Amino acid sequence: TSTAILYPPYAVLTAALVAAPRARWWALVAAAFAGQMLAGGPVPGALQVAATAPANLIRALVAAALLRRRWPGRPRLDTLERAVAFVVIAALVAPAVGAVVGAGTFVLVGRVARDADGYARAWSAWFLSSALTGVTLLPALLTLWAGARDWPR
């Protein structure tokens, strides 16, 4: 299965969810789903995107919910304990949840072999892409958005 090395929509949606009030999460998730569908292209691409979109959305929702639970304000990475907690949430737990759903979807729709090896390859590719995104792009976006809120208006 081909997977992007980095998946920026995970970082963008997660950062937006962390920054937004929970009452607005539904709108962000709906916009992300619509964006994924539009990027999917013609019908075969759109069907594949529709099948994998739940994994992408669940991954971002899990990350944002856990980050908000850990830090009621904005996430801060100013201590080793906070940095480790961030990595556990954004680069281990949320990517693992998304990979379970995404790899399962790939098996169900026949994109990978319907066996343990096919599932394992899809899971590892999905997980590694999300984990790399969680430790590279997500902290950068959270920092940028936190700084943007502090800019003079």
Side-chain angles (χ1 to χ4, degrees), residues 41-53:
V43 174
L47 292 176
Q48 179 177 325
V49 170
T52 59

Side-chain angles (χ1 to χ4, degrees), residues 18 25 84:
V18 168
W25 281 21
V84 168

Side-chain angles (χ1 to χ4, degrees), residues 2-32:
S2 63
T3 303
I5 293 173
L6 293 175
Y7 190 71
Y10 163 48
V12 171
L13 179 57
T14 302
L17 291 169
V18 168
R22 282 191 191 242
R24 294 195 182 141
W25 281 21
W26 69 270
L28 293 170
V29 169

Side-chain angles (χ1 to χ4, degrees), residues 20-127:
R22 282 191 191 242
R24 294 195 182 141
W25 281 21
W26 69 270
L28 293 170
V29 169
F33 180 78
Q36 287 184 348
M37 292 304 296
L38 289 171
V43 174
L47 292 176
Q48 179 177 325
V49 170
T52 59
N56 294 328
L57 300 174
I58 288 167
R59 174 186 51 214
L61 285 166
V62 167
L66 292 175
L67 289 170
R68 292 278 299 263
R69 182 176 180 163
R70 176 72 172 86
W71 292 280
R74 62 183 143 185
R76 295 176 28 204
L77 305 177
D78 55 351
T79 67
L80 180 60
E81 177 188 348
R82 289 178 176 158
V84 168
F86 180 86
V87 169
V88 167
I89 292 167
L92 295 175
V93 174
V97 171
V100 166
V101 176
T105 301
F106 277 5
V107 169
L108 288 175
V109 300
R111 179 118 188 261
V112 298
R114 293 182 181 220
D115 58 18
D117 186 52
Y119 179 85
R121 281 185 286 120
W123 187 94
S124 63
W126 201 293
F127 174 80

